[in-house]
Amino acid sequence: MSKSFSGGIHPAYNKAMTAEIPIADMPLPDKVRLPLSQHIGAPCKPLVAKGDTVAMGQKIADSDSFVSAPIHASVAGEVVLVDDQAIEIKTDKEKSRFSGAAQSYNNQGELRQIIREAGIVGLGGATFPTHVKVTPPEGVTIHTFMINGAECEPFLTTDHRVMLEQGQEMIAGSKLLMEACGAEKTIIGIEKNKPDAIEHMSKLIADEPAFAVTGVQVKYPQGWEKQLIKSLVGQEVPDKGLPLDLGIVMNNVATAVAVHRAVEYGEPLLNRVVTVSGSGINKPQNVRAPLGTSVADLVEFCGGLKPEAAKIIDGGPMMGRALSTLDTPITKGTSGILVFNRDEVHLFSEDPCIRCASCVDACPSRLLPNYLALYVKREMLDEAEEINLMSCIECGCCSYVCPSKIPLVHYFQRGKQEINARNRNQ
Amino acid sequence: MDFVSDILIPVASLAGLGLIFGALLAVANKVFMVKVDKRVADISEVLPGINCGACGYPSCSAFAEAVAAGKAPVNGCVPGRAEVAEKVGDIMGVEAEADERFVAKLACRGTEDVARDKLEYYGAADCRSAMLIEGGPKACAYGCMGLGTCVEVCPFGAITMGEEGLPLFEDELCNGCRRCFKACPKDVIRMVSVNAEVDVACNNHDKGAAVLKACKVGCIACGKCVKVCPEDAIEMVDNLAVIDYHKCTNCGACIEACPTNAIVRLSPVI
């Protein structure tokens, strides 16, 4: 019996399109647009003004808030726009070379500070600032560090490729993160549909007694933090709790690589690996793109769109969001850009709920999606909150299995937003 | 059979118990009496009973209690209009002044043929959900999306979805409860006095060029209406014409002047 969690679904994975192709480095675009909020937490305030010349890797926005992460210029050049949403930089390709030096530190605090200054956030897509994650509150001891290499979203293969190509850097980064949070051992969790990655990682850690690699069942949403912890150690993170409550900290594969680079080369987060895939793209592949690159430039680099292309998704097909314009920047949280043809995009309208409870079986958080949707539709927010609407992770399993094609998660997003707005006003 | 022990004693003891309990009840009635304002029941009787909340109280009976306690005005029931106000006034023994009646109006004329869509929307058929997807399918960020949340919340059936993708408001059925006004995530529904005959049917606060890119019938803030208005009743607020109904004489000069037909004449409400 494979290591797993309750609920979940088995969508078509469609990873073969990009899994075998090495990561391509994208040339610098002519212009980058860097949003001021690329992370969970307080948005940054610009440190530069229009007309300023910035160097590659220069910090251009920061915040005083603890839960936040600074933003760096991903290219060198001239700042052409600063507003309350983003900073735009016109690239000077001649000068765009990053130079930095290895960072030294004497204690955990300084190491965490290096991570913060590098602007590193969870690169799996949740974009939670990493320095916050590795800073356990007073009285909490972390014993285990985990690397999330599950990558359960269909189509996406960024973590898979990073593990194969930058495995050594990932191990080095994991050691740093282990040190930063005070853990004694590291468990790397990888879904069993990536046997080459499991094998490669096992080889790399052969001489590392503190490390272990565990293959987990291929099931969506295996890569969700709480579900993967359940699969790896059999313990459940309490509702509304954090992995910290179990003495665990988990980070994504690419995050560990970024931490390694921040310490080893003094390099802040300047780029990320994005899976560009789907039937509507000419050359599906993984691309290392500078942050702030527009989706249009990225698509162009991958051979452009096919004429039948109809829908573009930022993220994975389960949790990503559809884009209405290609003029959208790649941010720290963009794990994939997927393009689908018209005949693959299912357009349907909602039918009445037939009370089959498929969604209840599929929900990995063990909620009652059918009742949650009913309550949100009827504006019964108190009742929805009572049956834990706020614990929904918006993974989309319920919407996926619903025979009536009810866009359940869409209702939950609205309900959560309304509850948050109401709680703010109170 | 013994007449005394089998019949007389039981009858007498039962009658005695009855007397004792009766007396207890009589005393309890006096001592624990709760004063009920009969007017509350009477007012509840004449109210519409739809619990719309327009009066500011959570239900019709809560409003009735407030009126009886003198906390709410007798004409506070919005959907009840003058008729109910008069009845409530009779019960309370005061003269009910009829308030100005307001009906809900859509401040948007962006039908499918004139307002551009920026994306095809196939999510939950509900305006508040659609707002989560880049602020809805329409290119105009202020206009009606036409997904019918107002139609759903209207307790009077006064709103129906028109063929051109915008809701139609039936003035006669509208009782001014403001439910649609509160539910609309675009704030494109306005409460307009029934006496008003002219209305700016646009909600777009962008500059002219941006408006025209999204919609052919939007207010482009050109200011022609402000200039032609003989009563100085129109003001340009945040790139949108706003009519001051205290000054407006319904002359219609602005309707003639508006180049995009964003100002419309309202049909009189009975």
Side-chain angles (χ1 to χ4, degrees):
Chain A
M1 178 63 191
S2 281
K3 302 208 165 195
S4 197
F5 57 94
S6 74
I9 53 167
H10 299 278
Y13 279 87
N14 290 305
K15 290 185 189 254
M17 244 186 271
T18 52
E20 304 289 322
I21 308 168
I23 301 169
D25 277 297
M26 187 180 159
L28 296 178
D30 295 331
K31 198 180 83 174
V32 291
R33 179 180 165 85
L34 296 155
L36 294 172
S37 182
Q38 301 190 26
H39 48 260
I40 289 181
C44 289
K45 289 197 177 69
L47 301 175
V48 291
K50 191 180 166 182
D52 287 1
T53 309
V54 293
M56 193 170 182
Q58 181 184 333
K59 187 158 82 173
I60 53 170
D62 204 349
S63 159
D64 297 332
S65 172
F66 179 59
V67 185
S68 188
I71 289 159
H72 301 78
S74 55
V75 296
E78 189 196 336
V79 177
V80 289
L81 179 127
V82 177
D83 60 18
D84 52 357
Q85 294 292 318
I87 297 172
E88 288 186 10
I89 304 170
K90 193 163 169 283
T91 313
D92 183 340
K93 289 184 184 168
E94 296 292 307
K95 289 188 186 149
S96 288
R97 255 173 214 92
F98 176 73
S99 58
Q103 305 281 306
S104 61
Y105 57 91
N106 299 316
N107 53 40
Q108 277 186 324
E110 285 178 28
L111 177 56
R112 289 173 191 153
Q113 191 59 24
I114 295 172
I115 296 173
R116 193 206 108 88
E117 283 305 308
I120 297 171
V121 301
L123 296 176
T127 67
F128 191 76
T130 303
H131 68 277
V132 181
K133 218 170 180 180
V134 296
T135 310
E138 204 77 14
V140 176
T141 330
I142 303 299
H143 54 76
T144 307
F145 177 70
M146 290 181 181
I147 285 286
N148 184 346
E151 196 155 59
C152 57
E153 273 269 5
F155 287 92
L156 303 188
T157 53
T158 67
D159 292 344
H160 187 183
R161 285 316 304 176
V162 169
M163 280 191 282
L164 290 178
E165 295 180 27
Q166 294 175 284
Q168 206 74 55
E169 289 186 279
M170 189 199 97
I171 304 282
S174 307
K175 284 182 191 160
L176 291 167
L177 284 164
M178 244 165 90
E179 197 180 335
C181 65
E184 292 144 16
K185 59 175 177 179
T186 295
I187 305 175
I188 304 170
I190 306 172
E191 265 193 3
K192 284 182 173 169
N193 58 0
K194 295 179 261 296
D196 49 346
I198 296 178
E199 200 185 324
H200 184 61
M201 280 298 146
S202 304
K203 261 186 221 158
L204 288 179
I205 63 153
D207 300 326
E208 307 276 359
F211 278 71
V213 174
T214 307
V216 290
Q217 194 198 354
V218 182
K219 181 159 85 169
Y220 180 87
Q222 187 68 267
W224 192 269
E225 196 169 64
K226 293 182 178 183
Q227 271 65 28
L228 188 56
I229 289 172
K230 170 78 171 57
S231 300
L232 289 175
V233 293
Q235 281 177 296
E236 261 185 57
V237 178
D239 180 40
K240 296 184 181 71
L242 291 169
L244 288 174
D245 301 332
L246 301 178
I248 295 170
V249 167
M250 181 181 279
N251 271 126
N252 173 265
V253 169
T255 314
V257 174
V259 168
H260 164 73
R261 297 187 73 82
V263 174
E264 190 69 24
Y265 309 115
E267 180 188 303
L269 196 58
L270 299 177
N271 52 42
R272 68 154 297 140
V273 181
V274 183
T275 301
V276 185
S277 187
S279 51
I281 194 96
N282 277 320
K283 219 174 113 197
Q285 61 183 344
N286 278 293
V287 180
R288 187 172 289 109
L291 295 176
T293 307
S294 75
V295 174
D297 287 341
L298 186 66
V299 164
E300 193 62 46
F301 177 71
C302 294
L305 300 177
K306 287 183 184 166
E308 314 85 79
K311 185 172 187 178
I312 300 175
I313 295 174
D314 173 346
M318 296 299 297
M319 289 191 69
R321 80 200 156 87
L323 295 178
S324 69
T325 164
L326 289 176
D327 198 17
T328 307
I330 302 295
T331 63
K332 292 176 182 177
T334 312
S335 46
I337 295 292
L338 306 179
V339 188
F340 295 108
N341 286 339
R342 172 63 72 184
D343 58 342
E344 274 184 327
V345 180
H346 296 287
L347 306 176
F348 39 70
S349 54
E350 176 182 335
D351 289 326
C353 171
I354 57 168
R355 314 250 162 177
C356 66
S358 301
C359 52
V360 179
D361 289 338
C363 180
S365 299
R366 295 206 294 262
L367 301 174
L368 302 169
N370 48 350
Y371 281 99
L372 287 172
L374 195 69
Y375 288 149
V376 173
K377 273 189 205 175
R378 303 253 163 96
E379 296 281 302
M380 295 161 76
L381 298 181
D382 290 329
E383 285 81 354
E385 210 174 351
E386 202 159 289
I387 59 169
N388 297 312
L389 175 61
M390 300 314 269
S391 300
C392 167
I393 60 173
E394 302 177 22
C395 65
C397 289
C398 49
S399 313
Y400 183 86
V401 297
C402 181
S404 291
K405 305 292 175 215
I406 301 171
L408 292 147
V409 176
H410 200 170
Y411 284 114
F412 302 159
Q413 287 167 339
R414 175 183 129 208
K416 283 166 110 173
Q417 199 185 49
E418 282 174 11
I419 289 174
N420 282 333
R422 192 186 58 175
N423 292 349
R424 263 199 307 276
N425 291 338
Q426 268 169 8
Chain B
M1 197 177 85
D2 183 8
F3 176 74
V4 175
S5 65
D6 284 356
I7 293 173
L8 206 58
I9 293 177
V11 168
S13 54
L14 271 176
L17 278 172
L19 270 174
I20 293 165
F21 288 135
L24 274 174
L25 278 175
V27 172
N29 188 33
K30 289 284 173 209
V31 176
F32 299 113
M33 187 175 69
V34 179
K35 277 189 186 165
V36 180
D37 195 339
K38 190 179 166 293
R39 294 176 304 180
V40 174
D42 289 346
I43 295 169
S44 291
E45 196 73 6
V46 298
L47 291 175
I50 47 164
N51 303 322
C52 70
C55 54
Y57 292 90
S59 65
C60 290
S61 53
F63 171 69
E65 279 170 28
V67 173
K71 287 181 197 156
V74 290
N75 59 4
C77 177
V78 181
R81 303 190 200 168
E83 208 180 313
V84 168
E86 199 180 314
K87 282 184 192 162
V88 176
D90 284 349
I91 295 166
M92 293 297 293
V94 292
E95 192 75 20
E97 268 178 50
D99 244 358
E100 193 179 7
R101 193 182 143 211
F102 284 84
V103 291
K105 289 273 180 205
L106 188 68
C108 179
R109 294 183 62 229
T111 47
E112 283 161 6
D113 48 331
V114 291
R116 197 169 61 83
D117 280 347
K118 66 177 178 208
L119 52 94
E120 281 177 52
Y121 176 75
Y122 290 96
D126 170 280
C127 303
R128 290 164 295 196
S129 300
M131 280 297 278
L132 298 173
I133 313 289
E134 302 197 4
K138 277 225 169 123
C140 170
Y142 306 88
C144 173
M145 298 182 275
L147 293 167
T149 291
C150 50
V151 178
E152 242 167 71
V153 299
C154 179
F156 307 104
I159 314 175
T160 48
M161 190 48 70
E163 279 172 14
E164 290 173 307
L166 289 184
L168 306 172
F169 290 71
E170 192 89 42
D171 293 335
E172 259 174 82
L173 295 174
C174 177
N175 285 316
C177 74
R178 302 163 78 95
R179 273 211 192 165
C180 53
F181 173 84
K182 287 181 202 155
C184 178
K186 291 281 190 192
D187 290 333
V188 66
I189 297 175
R190 292 197 203 125
M191 302 308 294
V192 178
S193 163
V194 289
N195 302 324
E197 286 175 29
V198 183
D199 187 28
V200 182
C202 180
N203 191 35
N204 195 316
H205 293 283
D206 284 341
K207 292 212 170 97
V211 176
L212 282 178
K213 262 185 209 164
C215 177
K216 288 180 197 156
V217 293
C219 169
I220 54 172
C222 63
K224 279 190 184 161
C225 51
V226 179
K227 276 184 208 141
V228 300
C229 181
E231 310 291 333
D232 280 340
I234 307 182
E235 201 187 342
M236 205 53 74
V237 182
D238 201 6
N239 294 322
L240 185 65
V242 176
I243 300 174
D244 181 351
Y245 288 108
H246 296 296
K247 294 184 190 164
C248 177
T249 56
N250 299 325
C251 71
C254 51
I255 300 174
E256 299 288 318
C258 182
T260 56
N261 298 323
I263 305 180
V264 293
R265 185 169 286 282
L266 303 171
S267 45
V269 181
I270 305 133

